[in-house]
Amino acid sequence: MSFSLTMGVYMKIAIDGPASSGKSTIAKLLSKKLKFEYIDTGALYRAITYIINKENIDLQDEYKISNIINSSIFRFDKNKLYMNDICIETEIRKNIISKKVSEVAAQPYIRILINKVIRNTSDNSENIIIDGRDIGTVVLPDANFKIYLDASPKIRAKRRYIELIEKNEPVILEKLEEEIIERDYYDSNRAVDPLKIADDAIIIVTDDMNIGQVVNKIYDLVNNDL
Ligand code: DC
């Protein structure tokens, strides 16, 4: 299929994959290169986790959490997440949030509300890249491109270790690898919208690739179709 951006046919790209597979970094660079909008859906689940943690809300308090999601305005500005005009990017990337977010993202009622936020943004956008766990399978089953990024837990733990050490967060490499394996299990085995490879996804294993190589590979795939 061929797309002509000038004729009003727009493109949606879904990028899925497990924790620390580089989705967000790659999606950000790709969105810049293609001049597409970008939504990091993991950041939205992190934002809810951050509020639940900060205000010590019971995860089963569906009424309170639903109210918070429905009455909040989420926006990305220069790829940083703002919730009601407050930038929460630093807080949501902390390891304490990473450890708690899978449980929050497994709540069906939270997924329904977050998916609404994502679809609203997507419907109002022309060309967009969305990354997450269930974008190609559930949120955008009609995406023009579905990419599934993967890498071994060891490599992902190493990448995450470097990232957190650069932010002065005290972490132990072996512990990070255990947490990543645990998060993979949780994300892939939850009852609702688990992490799964879409039948029509292009799988890219990034163990032996650097970020630039992955970005270029996806860029070439997309560009050949424009
Ligand atoms: O990509 P990330 O590590 O920032 O994602 C945070 C968590 O949110 C992760 O445990 C999986 C979950 N998630 C999800 O369930 N569905 C999405 N579309 C995006 C993220």
Side-chain angles (χ1 to χ4, degrees):
M1 200 191 318
S2 184
F3 300 89
S4 163
L5 298 181
T6 51
M7 289 179 71
V9 180
Y10 299 116
M11 187 179 279
K12 307 216 186 275
I13 302 176
I15 303 185
D16 289 301
S20 300
S21 54
K23 297 180 302 292
S24 311
T25 310
I26 284 151
K28 267 180 212 162
L29 291 168
L30 194 63
S31 69
K32 212 167 165 188
K33 212 167 157 144
L34 286 165
K35 299 191 175 57
F36 280 21
E37 267 187 68
Y38 164 54
I39 309 178
D40 172 355
T41 62
L44 299 172
Y45 288 102
R46 285 172 179 271
I48 307 312
T49 309
Y50 164 65
I51 297 296
I52 290 173
N53 194 47
K54 185 165 87 98
E55 297 182 8
N56 209 8
I57 305 170
D58 183 345
L59 197 47
Q60 301 316 318
D61 193 343
E62 184 170 336
Y63 180 77
K64 191 165 186 176
I65 297 173
S66 301
N67 261 342
I68 293 175
I69 301 176
N70 288 333
S71 62
S72 297
I73 297 174
F74 299 93
R75 78 181 157 87
F76 289 93
D77 189 5
K78 298 195 178 74
N79 291 325
K80 293 191 189 322
L81 179 61
Y82 287 72
M83 188 171 176
N84 301 324
D85 279 335
I86 298 171
C87 180
I88 53 170
E89 189 63 28
T90 307
E91 284 78 6
I92 64 169
R93 301 295 163 194
K94 293 199 168 150
N95 210 34
I96 180 159
I97 303 300
S98 301
K99 282 195 220 171
K100 296 188 171 179
V101 64
S102 282
E103 200 188 345
V104 172
Q107 304 299 315
Y109 75 94
I110 294 184
R111 301 200 68 80
I112 290 171
L113 295 175
I114 293 294
N115 281 347
K116 239 193 240 167
V117 173
I118 303 168
R119 287 198 186 103
N120 268 343
T121 312
S122 164
D123 289 349
N124 288 320
S125 303
E126 297 177 342
N127 299 301
I128 194 161
I129 300 176
I130 306 185
D131 84 27
R133 301 293 191 287
D134 58 342
I135 308 305
T137 50
V138 176
V139 183
L140 288 183
D142 297 331
N144 308 99
F145 274 94
K146 298 181 186 177
I147 309 289
Y148 188 92
L149 288 183
D150 210 352
S152 65
K154 211 173 241 348
I155 293 280
R156 287 186 279 139
K158 247 191 214 163
R159 290 176 185 160
R160 179 106 184 104
Y161 177 79
I162 294 167
E163 207 179 291
L164 289 171
I165 289 293
E166 277 171 1
K167 289 185 196 161
N168 290 324
E169 273 216 50
V171 278
I172 299 165
L173 180 61
E174 291 71 23
K175 188 104 196 5
L176 273 183
E177 189 179 339
E178 277 169 28
E179 285 168 11
I180 280 182
I181 292 171
E182 205 178 306
R183 209 133 70 88
D184 283 357
Y185 182 82
Y186 213 103
D187 291 342
S188 310
N189 290 283
R190 67 178 175 225
V192 184
D193 307 342
L195 168 67
K196 202 167 77 178
I197 306 175
D199 292 339
D200 48 353
I202 299 162
I203 303 170
I204 304 178
V205 179
T206 68
D207 281 45
D208 298 317
M209 295 171 85
N210 63 35
I211 289 166
Q213 287 170 322
V214 182
V215 171
N216 287 338
K217 187 174 170 105
I218 305 175
Y219 180 81
D220 288 345
L221 283 169
V222 174
N223 217 25
N224 281 338
D225 232 52
L226 287 176

